[in-house]
Amino acid sequence: MSGAFAAATGDGPPLPDLEAEQRSREVRAALDGLLQIRRVTAGGGGGDPAARPADWERRQPVRAVALLLEAAGRPPSALDASGTRVATGYRVAAGERPGTAVVAWLGPPGSGAAQEEEAALRACAAALERFGWDALLYKGPRRHRFLEVEPVGPDIP
């Protein structure tokens, strides 16, 4: 891979298998950096840096949530060059309200993503809650479930 690290949102191309170990190292390094930002900006409040999102995360919830899901080992969905979904996994998009994100569980037609959606989204919610994000499960149009995700606590440390 070349260029700056970007967490998988579920709307990008699948990663080639040859890059899986390199990607894993990049994700771990990005998560370590995020936790360091939390420690530095915690304002001396002590406690677990994993428990409260930093200001950076609040300004860029899609990137932060995607990083946390990828670091937790949850698989991202993916698209091919024509925009067709080719992998089952999470998709993170901006929420309707500022500072929020929406997580859906998507896959190619016939992949069974709809049958595993509730359990998969609950696993995503558990991963996010460990890092200070509230993730509420909703049922939307055509009975598709999704998570609405927002940072825990006030904006000001």
Side-chain angles (χ1 to χ4, degrees):
M1 292 184 83
S2 61
F5 173 82
T9 63
D11 279 337
L15 291 174
D17 290 337
L18 297 174
E19 295 182 11
E21 183 56 36
Q22 175 64 27
R23 180 67 180 187
S24 179
R25 283 192 298 272
E26 290 175 355
V27 169
R28 283 191 308 269
L31 179 61
D32 289 346
L34 177 62
L35 294 177
Q36 182 62 23
I37 289 169
R38 286 182 176 195
R39 279 191 279 285
V40 169
T41 61
D48 180 8
R52 186 170 178 174
D55 188 47
W56 172 88
E57 296 169 84
R58 294 171 187 279
R59 288 191 313 269
Q60 299 186 48
V62 170
R63 290 178 64 194
V65 167
L67 171 59
L68 294 171
L69 290 174
E70 193 172 356
R74 303 304 305 158
S77 186
L79 301 173
D80 67 11
S82 70
T84 301
R85 200 149 302 275
V86 294
T88 298
Y90 67 80
R91 176 185 182 260
V92 183
E96 290 182 11
R97 294 179 294 122
T100 65
V102 173
V103 178
W105 191 260
L106 303 173
S111 67
Q115 287 76 27
E116 61 190 53
E117 144 185 283
E118 183 174 3
L121 288 172
R122 287 189 189 282
C124 288
L128 293 168
E129 287 167 357
R130 284 192 301 271
F131 286 98
W133 290 81
D134 280 332
L136 300 175
L137 184 63
Y138 290 97
K139 195 178 288 186
R142 296 187 316 243
R143 304 181 57 83
H144 287 288
R145 291 175 175 86
F146 64 93
L147 296 175
E148 184 175 86
V149 184
E150 64 184 7
V152 172
D155 290 353
I156 302 169

